[in-house]
Amino acid sequence: MEKVDIASIVGMLLGVVMFVFGVLSNGGVASLHSMWDTASFIITIGGSIAGTLASFKLADFINGVKSIKLIFKDEVQDPAVVINQIISLSNTARKEGLLALEEAANGIEDDFLKKGIMLVVDGTDPELVRGIMETDLACVESRHKAKIAVWEKWGMIGTLIGLILMLKNMEDASTIGPAMATALVTTLYGSLLANWLCNPIAGKLKLNNDNEMMMKEISVEGILSIQAGENPRVIEEKLKSFLAPSARNTAQESEAGGEE
């Protein structure tokens, strides 16, 4: 069963609840009604979508929008688990030889790690293994950044559109209040779009990307270390350098628990 990232759901829902509660407690339902303006909504949402769409190819824009579902998935893999898996593979290679990794690779779910192990089994030159793996890594990161860029652009455009009406019709003092109110509502929509939707999504996608890149870098270094015939203990210490000190302790405890 697919795990759900509770933080993303709670954060967005809590933001809506706090906004509605703040408006209602300050002026009641009438105050909440004053926050709606059809023209402002069309200008902000429609204008920001149009501006973002014009900045990207259609396929990239669609892929970027679809990536919203990724922030609700909790698929972050524990680095300690990957490190322990690599250490297990290194022990197999040390005792039985590199060819024994072919059978061990059948139980690997991570396609990236499995691909690297099979390159090693096939006797591929270490530099070529590194080149292939790093090219794969760079391509994945490039696709991630293309999706992130859509949300970053959308949020920026949505915020700026609302500012356009701020100084319009300043000649007639009687129109300044209503015009300013409409302009501020438009700005509000842009700010909500940016800070409740676009920026959080871009931030979460960046976080997921950074974590995945770290996992793949761990895999690359582990694979090359196994191919070089390094001692499993040396490989373990090398891979733990990717982790924060507290995470290194967790990884050590996890490994100790698995050996009992």
Side-chain angles (χ1 to χ4, degrees):
M1 184 176 181
E2 193 173 80
K3 295 176 65 177
V4 178
D5 184 4
I6 301 298
S8 296
I9 298 176
V10 171
M12 290 187 175
L13 291 178
L14 187 60
V16 173
V17 171
M18 292 297 99
F19 173 77
V20 173
F21 174 77
V23 174
L24 289 177
S25 62
N26 192 43
V29 177
S31 181
L32 184 62
H33 183 267
S34 68
M35 294 291 174
W36 174 257
D37 185 86
T38 303
S40 297
F41 183 82
I42 293 174
I43 289 173
T44 304
I45 304 301
S48 61
I49 291 176
T52 306
L53 185 58
S55 302
F56 299 91
K57 293 182 178 180
L58 180 60
D60 292 335
F61 176 79
I62 293 175
N63 287 334
V65 173
K66 286 182 177 179
S67 67
I68 188 174
K69 63 185 179 182
L70 299 177
I71 72 169
F72 299 111
K73 295 181 179 180
D74 189 8
E75 297 180 343
V76 178
Q77 194 173 6
D78 186 357
V81 174
V82 177
I83 291 175
N84 289 337
Q85 188 174 30
I86 292 174
I87 299 306
S88 176
L89 291 170
S90 70
N91 283 319
T92 300
R94 191 174 181 85
K95 296 175 182 178
E96 305 176 33
L98 292 177
L99 293 179
L101 294 176
E102 183 173 7
E103 182 177 352
N106 293 330
I108 298 177
E109 297 182 358
D110 184 352
D111 291 335
F112 185 79
L113 178 58
K114 186 174 183 177
K115 175 181 179 179
I117 292 298
M118 294 310 298
L119 287 172
V120 170
V121 171
D122 292 338
T124 309
D125 182 78
E127 287 303 315
L128 184 55
V129 173
R130 179 182 290 277
I132 292 173
M133 301 300 287
E134 290 185 346
T135 298
D136 193 341
L137 188 153
C139 290
V140 170
E141 186 172 26
S142 178
R143 290 194 295 270
H144 289 175
K145 287 184 176 180
K147 295 174 182 177
I148 294 170
V150 170
W151 292 102
E152 289 179 331
K153 191 74 172 181
W154 194 352
M156 181 181 67
I157 293 176
T159 303
L160 293 178
I161 284 179
L163 301 177
I164 296 175
L165 300 177
M166 289 292 287
L167 299 178
K168 187 177 180 181
N169 295 329
M170 294 294 289
E171 296 86 358
D172 187 354
S174 63
T175 64
I176 293 178
M180 186 67 72
T182 300
L184 289 175
V185 168
T186 309
T187 304
L188 173 65
Y189 291 164
S191 297
L192 294 179
L193 175 66
N195 296 298
W196 275 3
L197 185 66
C198 298
N199 291 344
I201 292 175
K204 185 60 69 70
L205 291 177
K206 283 181 180 179
L207 186 64
N208 291 345
N209 173 72
D210 291 344
N211 183 75
E212 184 173 347
M213 290 304 103
M214 182 185 69
M215 302 292 287
K216 292 185 182 301
E217 288 170 2
I218 289 175
S219 296
V220 171
E221 291 302 322
I223 290 167
L224 293 174
S225 296
I226 291 174
Q227 187 176 30
E230 295 179 8
N231 187 292
R233 178 61 63 181
V234 174
I235 297 176
E236 179 185 1
E237 293 304 320
K238 179 191 294 186
L239 298 185
K240 282 183 178 179
S241 65
F242 284 91
L243 309 178
S246 58
R248 296 176 195 176
N249 295 334
T250 301
Q252 188 172 1
E253 292 172 2
S254 176
E255 182 183 6
E259 293 176 350
E260 292 179 355

